[in-house]
């Protein structure tokens, strides 16, 4: 009818984050023990062969994407129907890796481990406060990840696993 309302939005975004936090891991070897001994650190030799983890400002990232949404409110069948269609696409890129803070497997995962596309279609119907219902379809696009453990040479992105897109259905009835 003439009173039905439809809203359409399209948003673009570009997010750049400089100096993101990463965990740096080093194996304590004889050169590090020698430095600790030279600094008069007692029992420095006990650290030989251990690992040290610390935070560094390890890399920059950039995310570009867009959100598209259509929402309609309709009077139909003696009630009200709210229809929503939402779509999102984004892409993340890792840049300026510092201090070897990320290995190829971690870079690959940061850029690919989240689906680049996602969509939702929802139909929410209500009739006079007595009966209402909701149907929602959630679509998640394909994505890939690495095991990060089983490569030769180690710490490369050789062991990729791909996952297909999936659609989930939610149904709800309210009385």
């Amino acid at each position: 009818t003439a009173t039905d309302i439809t809203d359409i939005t399209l948003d673009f975004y570009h997010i750049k984050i400089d100096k993101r936090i990463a965990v740096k891991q080093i194996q304590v070897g004889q050169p590090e023990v020698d430095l600790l001994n030279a600094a008069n650190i007692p029992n420095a030799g006990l650290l030989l062969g251990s690992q040290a983890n610390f935070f560094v400002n390890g890399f920059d990232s950039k995310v570009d994407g867009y959100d598209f949404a259509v929402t309609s409110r309709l009077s139909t069948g003696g009630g009200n129907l709210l229809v929503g269609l939402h779509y999102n696409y984004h892409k993340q890129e890792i840049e300026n890796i510092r201090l070897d803070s990320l290995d190829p497997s971690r870079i690959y995962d940061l850029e690919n481990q989240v689906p680049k596309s996602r969509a939702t279609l929802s139909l929410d119907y209500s009739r006079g406060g007595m009966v209402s219902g909701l149907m929602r379809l959630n679509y998640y696009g394909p994505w890939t990840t690495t095991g990060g453990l089983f490569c030769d040479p180690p710490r490369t992105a050789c062991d990729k696993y791909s996952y297909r897109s999936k659609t989930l259905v939610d149904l709800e009835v309210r009385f």
Side-chain angles (χ1 to χ4, degrees):
T1 67
T3 60
D4 296 339
I5 299 173
T6 298
D7 296 316
I8 300 173
T9 62
L10 178 61
D11 298 313
F12 294 92
Y13 53 90
H14 171 78
I15 303 167
K16 185 156 178 49
I17 303 173
D18 294 330
K19 300 179 182 171
R20 285 182 61 178
I21 302 285
V23 176
K24 174 77 174 156
Q25 183 179 65
I26 64 168
Q27 181 88 17
V28 178
Q30 193 59 52
E32 290 79 21
V33 171
D34 292 343
L35 287 170
L36 293 170
N37 283 329
N40 295 319
I41 304 295
N43 301 314
L46 295 174
L47 296 174
L48 185 63
S50 66
Q51 291 190 355
N53 298 310
F54 52 95
F55 294 103
V56 296
N57 291 37
F59 63 99
D60 301 338
S61 67
K62 178 176 68 171
V63 179
D64 292 302
Y66 62 90
D67 294 324
F68 176 71
V70 178
T71 305
S72 292
R73 286 168 285 290
L74 310 166
S75 297
T76 182
N80 295 307
L81 178 64
L82 178 63
V83 179
L85 173 65
H86 304 272
Y87 179 79
N88 168 264
Y89 175 84
H90 74 277
K91 181 178 181 183
Q92 177 169 224
E93 294 180 18
I94 304 301
E95 307 171 327
N96 303 324
I97 300 161
R98 298 171 193 81
L99 305 169
D100 295 324
S101 59
L102 297 178
D103 60 53
S105 181
R106 183 69 178 131
I107 295 166
Y108 186 87
D109 286 346
L110 285 169
E111 292 180 340
N112 297 284
Q113 206 169 45
V114 174
K116 288 181 177 26
S117 59
R118 183 180 188 293
T120 302
L121 172 64
S122 60
L123 304 169
D124 193 349
Y125 180 77
S126 63
R127 185 174 181 166
M130 297 192 56
V131 176
S132 59
L134 170 70
M135 180 190 78
R136 184 180 304 123
L137 302 173
N138 291 295
Y139 167 83
Y140 299 90
W143 59 283
T144 57
T145 187
T146 67
L149 302 172
F150 309 108
C151 294
D152 187 20
R155 299 174 63 90
T156 62
C158 74
D159 56 346
K160 298 175 188 158
Y161 299 94
S162 295
Y163 299 90
R164 296 184 312 200
S165 59
K166 294 289 180 190
T167 301
L168 305 175
V169 178
D170 294 324
L171 297 174
E172 176 181 312
V173 176
R174 299 179 295 266
F175 296 97

